[in-house]
Amino acid sequence: MTINSPWIPERIVSRRPRYRAIADALAEDIASGRLSEGERLPPQRELAHTLGVTVGTVTRAYELARSRGLIAGEVGRGTFVRARATTESFALGVRPGGQSSTGSELGDEVVDLSLSIAPAERRSDVIATLLVELAADPSLHEWCTYQPHAGHPRHRAAGAAWLRSLGVEANRRDVIVCAGAQHGISLLLSALAHPGDAVLTESLTYPGVRWIAKERGLRLVGVAQDDEGLCPDALEARARQTGARVVYCTPTLQNPTVATMSEQRRIAIAEVVRKCDLMLIEDDVYRPMLEQPPVPLANLAPERSFFVTSLSKGITPGLRVGFVRAPSEWARDLAGAVRTRMWVVSPLAVELAARVLESDAAEALSRWKRSEAAKRHELALRYFPREQIRSDRASLHMWLPLPSPWRGAEFASRALERGVRLSADDTFAVGPISPGSQGVRLSLMSPTSLASLERALERVSELLDEPVDALPSVL
């Protein structure tokens, strides 16, 4: 069935984010019967014009509706209503048939390059061996009960030893166990900043920080960045303008721009941090991907730096375990933050993580990921010249700057129509997107096969090579 007139929401709840309000309105109209299974929805650009919003807003609304199982897209044909279900199920993110929604789903033809994730390791045998050993260990019962909030001393020591192997100055007393880097960043922002405080970060930054800041009532302030990441002069100016006392950054293989600071830039940033009395949160989850990583910022200003990393990117995503190295006087406060939020990170999971770090498994898994990343990077270079992209053979993703008149959301929308899902610049932007910052992130490790990755890269390359007069108008 095809509707005679394009769908327009009858009611949009203004207090919600616009994209979510549109998706919720779509859910209500399906639940009420106003839209039926198989009905075609208006093209994203057309609906954006009708509602007076950006194409990116409608793209996000359609993506959310897809993740809830409400709609499906067919390349070349359009977007259609999938099935009728209850409004409650939509609100809870439950797919028709009772299955929970675990991710976006457009159809088999879509290749997802939107998530910067490490691939599931092919060396699962090393994890299996350690699991068998743990199950047979007489000490197993110790890891099935409560432990100190900051982590068992053995686990903190294993974390400190791993950090030292990565070039980070660390000892057991200064290391806190966390449930991944996202949890560690959340702990730090809750301990270092209060609602309403300004927190400085790159103008394009990891989206998880934006989510945490919103939840905590913090005000993120973007700082200009270049090919090496944060600009020292801009950081100092922003610190003085805002009175901020906290700065968050990813100095190595930055997400999304892949920038890595030189040693000279790191020294300059450390000087600004001291000069402006800032507390630094250094997110370095990609460090294990480098065989010879640069000196950490935390080593250059240890008395005011918090180093955060996890096993997810460089070793295995299945172990949600990470570590925070903090100045000694902050260890107790961070342990209290762990207690408040989750009492203690699962000791059983952390024990397995410790055994991974203490064995040859960690290096074996990191080595495989580095090899896979390099292979996919070389594949990407067949479609994008080095001067056209920002990339590193050790990175899980690449950044594709867009020429005028493209904007990231519009490019991502058009790429999705061609069967490729990307993350646009507005996903990472802190404040308005400055001229020259338009782009999309391509996550090279998400596809399960090189063949599907190559298919996606080819489609994105073709879209980028369209003549300027064939580009769509931008709202």
Side-chain angles (χ1 to χ4, degrees):
M1 178 188 299
T2 303
I3 55 177
N4 295 323
S5 58
W7 172 74
I8 300 175
E10 285 190 334
R11 184 177 74 93
I12 294 181
V13 181
S14 60
R15 66 176 180 273
R16 300 174 186 169
R18 296 289 287 177
Y19 79 94
R20 184 175 294 277
I22 295 170
D24 291 345
L26 178 59
E28 291 176 4
D29 285 351
I30 294 174
S32 68
R34 182 169 178 246
L35 284 174
S36 302
E37 183 176 358
E39 293 197 58
R40 183 172 181 172
L41 295 175
Q44 295 172 26
R45 203 165 342 132
E46 180 180 318
L47 183 59
H49 179 74
T50 301
L51 298 179
V53 299
T54 66
V55 174
T57 296
V58 176
T59 298
R60 295 181 69 188
Y62 277 22
E63 287 279 338
L64 180 57
R66 287 187 185 96
S67 73
R68 294 174 175 179
L70 302 177
I71 61 177
E74 297 179 28
V75 177
R77 293 192 60 216
T79 304
F80 300 84
V81 175
R82 286 187 61 184
R84 182 175 175 180
T86 64
T87 303
E88 289 80 7
S89 70
F90 299 142
L92 294 172
V94 177
R95 299 189 186 282
Q99 297 179 336
S100 63
S101 168
T102 58
S104 58
E105 182 178 77
L106 185 62
D108 293 340
E109 75 279 7
V110 171
V111 182
D112 194 340
L113 302 185
S114 66
L115 299 176
S116 183
I117 58 176
E121 56 279 338
R122 312 276 171 82
R123 294 292 312 278
S124 58
D125 56 311
V126 298
I127 299 293
T129 299
L130 292 172
L131 281 169
V132 171
E133 292 177 359
L134 177 58
D137 196 312
S139 68
L140 177 63
H141 71 279
E142 184 175 357
W143 315 122
C144 295
T145 187
Y146 291 111
Q147 299 295 339
H149 305 300
H152 190 280
R154 158 175 156 67
H155 296 158
R156 297 171 72 182
W162 182 50
L163 293 182
R164 288 194 297 271
S165 74
L166 297 175
V168 183
E169 297 171 359
N171 61 67
R172 187 196 73 187
R173 294 183 302 277
D174 298 339
V175 171
I176 306 297
V177 178
C178 55
Q182 175 85 359
H183 178 229
I185 296 166
S186 179
L187 293 174
L188 290 171
L189 286 177
S190 66
L192 296 172
H194 302 288
D197 284 357
V199 175
L200 307 178
T201 188
E202 300 103 333
S203 56
L204 295 174
T205 193
Y206 167 51
V209 174
R210 296 174 58 191
W211 306 332
I212 295 170
K214 182 177 181 181
E215 181 189 36
R216 298 275 184 263
L218 304 175
R219 181 167 53 93
L220 286 189
V221 178
V223 177
Q225 61 191 114
D226 58 18
D227 290 345
E228 289 194 35
L230 279 179
C231 297
D233 291 345
L235 177 61
E236 181 175 352
R238 283 295 201 185
R240 297 192 185 285
Q241 290 167 3
T242 63
R245 287 292 175 262
V246 180
V247 55
Y248 162 91
C249 71
T250 304
T252 305
L253 300 177
Q254 200 259 348
N255 185 8
T257 66
V258 200
T260 295
M261 291 184 185
S262 65
E263 184 172 352
Q264 293 74 19
R265 174 63 60 88
R266 291 167 188 260
I267 292 171
I269 292 293
E271 290 176 352
V272 172
V273 164
R274 284 198 173 101
K275 184 177 181 181
C276 295
D277 194 24
L278 294 169
M279 303 303 287
L280 170 70
I281 300 174
E282 179 178 8
D283 182 351
D284 214 346
V285 291
Y286 299 109
R287 175 167 283 263
M289 293 297 297
L290 294 170
E291 293 188 50
Q292 294 183 317
V295 60
L297 286 169
N299 288 8
L300 301 175
E303 78 284 359
R304 54 182 59 251
S305 297
F306 299 80
F307 183 93
V308 187
T309 193
S310 77
L311 280 67
S312 297
K313 303 297 186 183
I315 299 180
T316 174
L319 285 173
R320 296 299 302 161
V321 175
F323 302 96
V324 174
R325 195 242 68 173
S328 300
E329 64 271 21
W330 283 92
R332 179 176 296 181
D333 288 345
L334 293 177
V338 175
R339 178 192 62 213
T340 300
R341 283 160 182 77
M342 61 187 309
W343 194 260
V344 65
V345 180
S346 169
L348 193 59
V350 184
E351 173 61 18
L352 178 58
R355 292 177 182 232
V356 169
L357 296 176
E358 293 166 347
S359 70
D360 294 334
E363 179 53 32
L365 293 170
S366 291
R367 188 165 53 248
W368 179 82
K369 283 184 169 56
R370 287 194 290 265
S371 173
E372 188 70 12
K375 188 187 307 179
R376 295 181 179 226
H377 173 78
E378 292 304 318
L379 178 60
L381 289 179
R382 299 179 191 173
Y383 295 92
F384 303 97
R386 291 183 184 275
E387 64 273 11
Q388 191 177 37
I389 62 170
R390 297 178 188 171
S391 182
D392 189 297
R393 68 193 311 270
S395 179
L396 304 183
H397 60 270
M398 56 184 278
W399 178 250
L400 179 61
L402 295 174
S404 179
W406 280 119
R407 291 183 184 175
E410 179 72 26
F411 190 89
S413 176
R414 290 289 296 275
L416 188 58
E417 293 173 0
R418 297 178 180 221
V420 183
R421 183 172 290 114
L422 306 174
S423 292
D425 44 29
D426 59 355
T427 301
F428 312 96
V430 179
I433 299 172
S434 59
S437 296
Q438 300 93 334
V440 291
R441 187 188 68 184
L442 285 69
S443 297
L444 303 180
M445 307 292 266
S446 298
T448 56
S449 70
L450 289 177
S452 60
L453 173 61
E454 184 165 19
R455 185 167 64 250
L457 293 171
E458 183 177 16
R459 293 175 182 177
V460 174
S461 177
E462 290 173 350
L463 178 58
L464 189 66
D465 288 341
E466 285 188 356
V468 174
D469 56 6
L471 298 181
S473 60
V474 179
L475 296 179

